[in-house]
């Protein structure tokens, strides 16, 4: 094995570890958001439980709430029990495209993990352009409903910022595999065979995490998910360029949704 191949193998081992640890760390914070009409139940987007101004909220994209007419179903801590939120939301429409529940969740369990204020970055910035970024969500093309329950546990992805993108501070561009992912060791053969990557709608509202893996040295012994910080929120897919577009945290974090 030549030196370049050995380095690549080592890098992939590190990525495999980081995505596995982030999956375990983030999964319990995330919920699918669905809307039930007279004729069907459908996935609208992804939400995350977060502590905002001292209350437990769900944060997602503004267009997710609007598409569900602000009445969205969610589930706590990956439970199959469905709860509905139909009260007021706080929203910032495009170009920011972020919304969160205004009132604390009536059905909220004290055991439901929520993202704390200190886990939010003040600004989207990475120490290196190759830094590993992560998100977890529910892709519509890989999710189905049966007996009014979503048949999907969500999927976590490790990616990087598009280095060819012009940085204007309004958008983060994340690379999307478009059918050619590097599978983690936890991915089953069934998932590899059946997962699709042509239409990632449903990830709208997924929070983007800066893992800070390279920032703290790129060493598995010195990094843990506790270093990760929320740095943006996914809002749409650009199929022509195979990138996911996200709003940086400074456009909606902390005081802006207080």
């Amino acid at each position: 094995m030549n030196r370049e191949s050995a380095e690549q193998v080592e890098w992939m081992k590190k990525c495999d570890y980081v995505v596995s640890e982030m999956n375990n760390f983030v999964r319990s914070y995330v919920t699918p958001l669905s809307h039930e009409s007279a004729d069907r139940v459908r996935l609208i987007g992804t939400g995350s439980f977060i502590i905002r101004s001292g209350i437990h909220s769900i944060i997602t994209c503004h267009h997710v709430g609007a598409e569900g007419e602000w009445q969205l179903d969610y589930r706590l801590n990956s439970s199959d029990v469905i709860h509905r939120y139909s009260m007021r939301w706080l929203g910032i429409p495009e170009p920011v495209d972020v919304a969160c529940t205004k009132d604390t969740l009536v059905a909220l369990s004290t055991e439901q993990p929520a993202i704390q204020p200190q886990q939010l970055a003040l600004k989207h910035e990475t120490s290196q352009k190759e830094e590993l970024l992560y998100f977890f969500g529910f892709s519509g093309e890989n999710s189905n409903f049966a007996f009014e329950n979503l048949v999907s546990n969500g999927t976590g992805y490790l990616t990087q910022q598009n280095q060819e993108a012009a940085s204007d501070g309004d958008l983060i561009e994340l690379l999307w595999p478009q059918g050619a992912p590097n599978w983690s060791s936890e991915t089953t053969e069934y998932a590899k065979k059946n997962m699709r990557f042509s239409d990632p709608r449903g990830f709208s509202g997924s929070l983007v995490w800066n893992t800070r893996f390279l920032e703290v040295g790129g060493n598995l012994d010195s990094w843990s998910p506790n270093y990760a910080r929320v740095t943006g929120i996914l809002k749409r897919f650009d199929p022509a360029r195979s990138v996911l577009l996200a709003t940086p945290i400074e456009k909606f974090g902390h005081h802006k949704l207080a």
Side-chain angles (χ1 to χ4, degrees):
M1 182 179 291
N2 60 43
R3 183 166 180 261
E4 181 178 356
S5 297
E7 290 178 350
Q8 184 177 16
V9 169
E10 183 63 23
W11 173 245
M12 293 308 299
K13 286 181 179 179
K14 291 181 177 181
C15 290
D16 187 83
Y17 178 83
V18 172
V19 73
S20 176
E21 291 294 299
M22 288 300 297
N23 283 342
N24 294 331
F25 184 72
V26 172
R27 183 180 285 112
S28 61
Y29 292 144
V30 182
T31 177
L33 297 175
S34 58
H35 180 68
E36 180 180 355
S37 62
D39 57 343
R40 64 170 176 160
V41 180
R42 61 195 175 100
L43 176 72
I44 304 296
T46 299
S48 296
F49 297 101
I50 191 169
I51 301 295
R52 180 195 56 78
S53 299
I55 65 173
H56 290 76
S57 300
I58 294 175
I59 188 169
T60 187
C61 283
H62 184 275
H63 78 265
V64 169
E67 187 175 349
E69 299 173 352
W70 300 108
Q71 180 174 288
L72 294 174
D73 295 341
Y74 63 95
R75 64 193 192 193
L76 298 174
N77 207 10
S78 300
S79 167
D80 289 333
V81 178
I82 304 300
H83 303 279
R84 176 164 297 168
Y85 186 88
S86 55
M87 294 181 286
R88 290 181 59 194
W89 289 66
L90 292 173
I92 308 175
E94 284 280 13
V96 176
D97 194 15
V98 175
C100 68
T101 54
K102 183 178 186 297
D103 303 294
T104 193
L105 305 174
V106 174
L108 188 69
S109 165
T110 56
E111 298 178 358
Q112 170 59 52
I115 298 167
Q116 303 295 314
Q118 63 269 24
Q119 292 176 282
L120 306 182
L122 295 175
K123 181 180 180 181
H124 171 68
E125 53 186 354
T126 57
S127 63
Q128 300 180 43
K129 59 184 179 181
E130 299 88 358
E131 184 62 89
L132 297 177
L133 304 178
Y134 171 89
F135 65 92
F136 188 101
F138 297 84
S139 169
E141 64 182 349
N142 294 310
S143 302
N144 298 292
F145 282 89
F147 304 105
E148 299 185 354
N149 283 325
L150 180 67
V151 185
S152 172
N153 291 318
T155 314
Y157 292 88
L158 201 63
T159 185
Q160 293 172 311
Q161 196 161 338
N162 180 17
Q163 298 176 20
E164 299 178 358
S167 179
D168 58 6
D170 292 330
L171 285 173
I172 307 168
E173 292 192 7
L174 302 179
L175 299 176
W176 178 246
Q178 198 74 343
N182 291 309
W183 301 105
S184 75
S185 60
E186 294 183 340
T187 307
T188 65
E189 292 302 318
Y190 177 84
K192 292 177 184 179
K193 180 179 178 181
N194 291 279
M195 286 186 67
R196 293 168 287 178
F197 298 89
S198 59
D199 184 5
R201 282 180 296 180
F203 285 128
S204 293
S206 298
L207 293 178
V208 180
W209 295 75
N210 175 4
T211 69
R212 301 175 65 205
F213 178 69
L214 296 180
E215 181 180 336
V216 300
N219 190 317
L220 298 181
D221 294 330
S222 59
W223 176 87
S224 82
N226 291 317
Y227 282 104
R229 294 292 180 267
V230 175
T231 195
I233 187 168
L234 290 179
K235 63 178 184 175
R236 66 176 181 272
F237 175 49
D238 183 345
R241 301 174 59 230
S242 294
V243 294
L244 297 167
L245 303 178
T247 300
I249 185 73
E250 59 266 29
K251 300 294 182 181
F252 65 90
H254 299 285
H255 64 285
K256 295 185 183 297
L257 279 173

